[in-house]
Amino acid sequence: MVLQDGKYLLEGNIDPLELVQKYGCPLYVYESSIIEAQYKRLTRAFDVEDLQINYAAKALSNINILRYMHSIGAGLDTVSIQEVRLGLKAGFEPQNIMYTPNCVSIEEISAAAKLGVKINIDNISILEQFGTLFPDYPVCIRINPHIMAGGNSKISTGHIDSKFGISFHQMPLIHRILKATGLHVEGVHMHTGSDILDIDVFLQGAEILFQVAKEFPDLKYLDFGSGFKVPYKEEDIETDIEELGEKITARFKLFCEDYGKNLTLMFEPGKFLVSRSGIFLTKVNVVKQTTSTVFAGIDSGLNHLIRPMLYDAYHKIVNISNTTGRQRFYTVVGYICETDTFGVNRRMNEISEGDILAFYNAGAYCYTMSSNYNSRFRPAEVFILNGKDHLIRERETMEDLLRGQVEIETLTPKPELS
Ligand SMILES: *Cc1c(COP(=O)(O)O)cnc(C)c1O
């Protein structure tokens, strides 16, 4: 979304206020041009012969977004059997779907293997069980490199206390199981979680993966996961993808020379591909002045966008109904009946009741984390594909809220006999 001559405009010069008129409010809107630009930035940054970018479906999993990712050449990274099935339905080849579950039952992992997708194993016990059941099915192994990549402990996954991955100190045990079961390893993987600020820390983790990789003779790929940080605030630092790309590319090529074989370099970004592509449009129901604060209360809440309350995430918020005139400070809050704060003391163009506020960076982990808390409907989703808007999910209705609920006969009022 850009501000042009006092008006906010989306891809294809689409006016977000018109989208609200057309599809209602609150509304999630995604722009394909931004996803494509981010994808191209990644593929340019890593200048290797074989590069595969697997989009992490959990960031934004609407089937149309998955199909779009497939159309621009991405593979898919999945964390549940349901995401695997969505990916297959979206048209991904099983071989281009990586399944990276954590604390999932062997039954679910077996079901994924039967669908033919790449299996990433992150637990010694599962390695034993999988090797016994599917000795001929080559696997990927998720290594925990014991590094602390980013600041936020809720999304950091590569440190020593994390539940993710198999410690690289357990290599002898891994080899013993491989030998006993006959299982082959075709890839090694690490994913350190979001917020790579320090490229050198990431490279340290990568060195550990290179060390581990040397011990497996039949590798086809090395997967460095994700964690590419995107800016949420103006002054935020983002992962310098170009610098990271240059350094990893050089090191990866050296590794392949040493290894004696060209491998595929893999990444699995979610946030980097879709975060900036999304905006969330909401309407101001009330402006409420208390003794200490001016609140702007909107027609949404943590049921639709939980990141501020869950992760203390910052989402930039702008008043797109009023782009000129004086600015005031507002605390933007939701309608959920508990503390439900989107942003505190934000300087914004003066708000009148009925104005539309737009949240930035609403592509990743926003709709996919939404719920029906307070028995509210989830919003509609619109995808602007090559400059044209498409409704890709309907706003929910009472039927959606009641779907699947089974009414006990003796509690259900009988229609009056007349
Ligand atoms: C969530 C996740 C990702 C995507 O992380 P982002 O920070 O959104 O890029 C990649 N790989 C795995 C295994 C994940 O669980």
Side-chain angles (χ1 to χ4, degrees):
M1 195 167 67
V2 291
L3 182 58
Q4 227 172 53
D5 304 328
K7 217 171 137 88
Y8 282 95
L9 287 177
L10 294 158
E11 181 184 331
N13 287 328
I14 291 174
D15 180 349
L17 294 170
E18 277 173 23
L19 292 183
V20 168
Q21 293 280 320
K22 188 167 169 186
Y23 300 106
C25 199
L27 187 69
Y28 276 103
V29 182
Y30 314 113
E31 298 172 277
S32 67
S33 54
I34 295 185
I35 298 176
E36 190 185 16
Q38 290 293 88
Y39 184 78
K40 284 197 173 141
R41 247 183 98 192
L42 276 184
T43 49
R44 263 199 299 268
F46 299 97
D47 185 20
V48 297
E49 230 167 273
D50 292 306
L51 177 71
Q52 175 148 358
I53 305 291
N54 291 330
Y55 166 59
K58 74 178 190 284
L60 178 61
S61 56
N62 187 289
I63 188 89
N64 299 283
I65 300 293
L66 301 186
R67 287 193 176 128
Y68 182 70
M69 291 294 178
H70 181 253
S71 79
I72 60 176
L76 200 67
D77 189 72
T78 59
V79 293
S80 71
I81 189 77
Q82 291 80 8
E83 283 186 355
V84 168
R85 295 212 170 98
L86 275 178
L88 291 170
K89 188 169 163 57
F92 290 92
E93 294 292 318
Q95 271 309 295
N96 290 326
I97 297 178
M98 174 69 87
Y99 171 59
T100 303
N102 173 261
C103 293
V104 153
S105 72
I106 187 67
E107 287 78 18
E108 184 176 312
I109 296 171
S110 301
K114 283 176 191 143
L115 294 172
V117 300
K118 289 196 163 80
I119 308 277
N120 195 355
I121 291 183
D122 95 327
N123 179 336
I124 290 285
S125 155
I126 292 292
L127 190 66
E128 283 173 359
Q129 296 178 64
F130 192 86
T132 308
L133 287 169
F134 301 93
D136 301 321
Y137 202 108
V139 294
C140 179
I141 295 207
R142 179 173 188 169
I143 299 293
N144 185 328
H146 305 324
I147 58 165
M148 190 68 192
N152 191 328
S153 64
K154 285 189 185 162
I155 51 174
S156 198
T157 57
H159 56 91
I160 197 157
D161 294 323
S162 157
K163 68 170 181 154
F164 295 97
I166 301 176
S167 165
F168 71 94
H169 297 304
Q170 287 179 301
M171 290 307 292
L173 187 50
I174 294 175
H175 285 297
R176 219 173 294 146
I177 296 165
L178 296 180
K179 204 161 166 222
T181 57
L183 197 61
H184 281 276
V185 172
E186 63 168 19
V188 288
H189 167 270
M190 72 171 201
H191 169 64
T192 55
S194 263
D195 279 6
I196 299 167
L197 288 175
D198 188 339
I199 287 184
D200 289 330
V201 174
F202 186 83
L203 290 170
Q204 279 168 30
E207 277 314 316
I208 290 167
L209 205 70
F210 287 127
Q211 284 299 321
V212 166
K214 274 197 261 177
E215 299 183 29
F216 298 104
D218 310 318
L219 291 184
K220 291 186 178 147
Y221 53 88
L222 297 187
D223 186 338
F224 289 91
S226 177
F228 305 136
K229 186 173 162 57
V230 299
Y232 279 70
K233 291 182 204 167
E234 240 102 292
E235 68 272 20
D236 265 358
I237 330 171
E238 72 176 324
T239 307
D240 188 337
I241 259 330
E242 285 71 27
E243 184 192 345
L244 183 70
E246 221 169 274
K247 289 184 168 164
I248 287 280
T249 301
R251 182 65 187 87
F252 184 75
K253 284 182 172 164
L254 261 182
F255 174 84
C256 290
E257 259 172 49
D258 266 5
Y259 191 74
K261 191 175 146 197
N262 243 334
L263 302 183
T264 299
L265 176 60
M266 270 189 204
F267 290 96
E268 48 195 36
K271 198 178 269 181
F272 188 84
L273 291 178
V274 295
S275 176
R276 275 208 315 113
S277 82
I279 61 161
F280 184 43
L281 301 171
T282 63
K283 194 172 80 196
V284 177
N285 283 336
V286 290
V287 175
K288 181 170 183 174
Q289 169 111 45
T290 66
T291 41
S292 59
T293 308
V294 185
F295 289 104
I298 61 174
D299 65 348
S300 181
L302 59 85
N303 53 327
H304 295 157
L305 202 170
I306 201 174
R307 299 186 73 259
M309 291 306 296
L310 187 61
Y311 302 127
D312 294 324
Y314 182 98
H315 284 263
K316 182 178 160 186
I317 309 169
V318 294
N319 181 359
I320 62 170
S321 298
N322 175 18
T323 59
T324 54
R326 77 168 177 151
Q327 298 193 315
R328 295 186 66 189
F329 287 94
Y330 295 94
T331 290
V332 179
V333 293
Y335 56 21
I336 292 294
C337 290
E338 61 181 271
T339 305
D340 186 11
T341 308
F342 287 114
V344 176
N345 285 335
R346 299 292 186 88
R347 184 201 289 275
M348 295 165 69
N349 287 320
E350 192 162 11
I351 296 176
S352 309
E353 291 176 354
D355 280 358
I356 302 298
L357 305 189
F359 288 68
Y360 282 67
N361 289 85
Y365 307 109
C366 292
Y367 190 92
T368 50
M369 290 182 119
S370 66
S371 75
N372 290 119
Y373 187 42
N374 279 205
S375 297
R376 296 277 181 190
F377 303 144
R378 270 176 289 209
E381 291 180 292
V382 166
F383 187 29
I384 304 181
L385 176 61
N386 304 324
K388 193 177 169 314
D389 54 295
H390 301 264
L391 181 69
I392 57 170
R393 191 191 303 262
E394 294 173 350
R395 187 175 307 286
E396 287 182 330
T397 62
M398 278 312 285
E399 278 87 76
D400 294 308
L401 281 188
L402 285 164
R403 176 172 307 130
Q405 297 195 39
V406 180
E407 297 177 59
I408 299 174
E409 205 184 323
T410 52
L411 289 176
T412 309
K414 308 225 174 350
E416 292 290 329
L417 293 174
S418 59

